[in-house]
Amino acid sequence: MEIGKVGIIKNTNAEGWFIKIIDDKKNTGGYLLVQSRSKEFIGEGFDNWFENLDSLKKYITQNNIHIEWIM
C-alpha cells in the first residue's frame, strides 16, 4: 500500500479506476480510500473511510483488489 500515491485498479468490477489512500488522521482520525474514473479525482467517484491501516488492508485483501501504483 502506498499512502498519498495514485494507483490503478487492475481487477474487480472497478478495473481501470484510479485509487488513492489519504492519511486523514488529522481531520477524521482515519484513512480515506478514494476511487475515481479520472486520475485527477474529479467527476465520478467515491470514497470509503477506515479507522486504521489494519482495517484498510483487510478491506483490500478481502475484496482481492490488485493495485498498480503509478505516481
Side-chain angles (χ1 to χ4, degrees):
M1 282 191 347
E2 301 281 342
I3 297 171
K5 293 191 176 181
V6 175
I8 189 165
I9 298 173
K10 301 303 281 183
N11 68 333
T12 75
N13 62 346
E15 185 172 357
W17 280 54
F18 294 91
I19 193 167
K20 187 173 189 177
I21 299 169
I22 299 170
D23 181 341
D24 198 44
K25 290 183 294 211
K26 192 178 231 181
N27 295 313
T28 65
Y31 295 85
L32 292 172
L33 179 67
V34 182
Q35 297 180 50
S36 176
R37 287 195 185 270
S38 153
K39 68 180 173 185
E40 292 81 19
F41 294 89
I42 54 175
E44 184 178 4
F46 61 93
D47 61 54
N48 297 86
W49 180 84
F50 297 89
E51 184 177 351
N52 53 50
L53 278 178
D54 288 337
S55 60
L56 173 56
K57 288 177 187 178
K58 185 176 180 180
Y59 173 83
I60 289 172
T61 301
Q62 286 180 336
N63 289 285
N64 196 32
I65 300 171
H66 296 272
I67 304 165
E68 177 185 333
W69 299 103
I70 59 173
M71 55 175 66

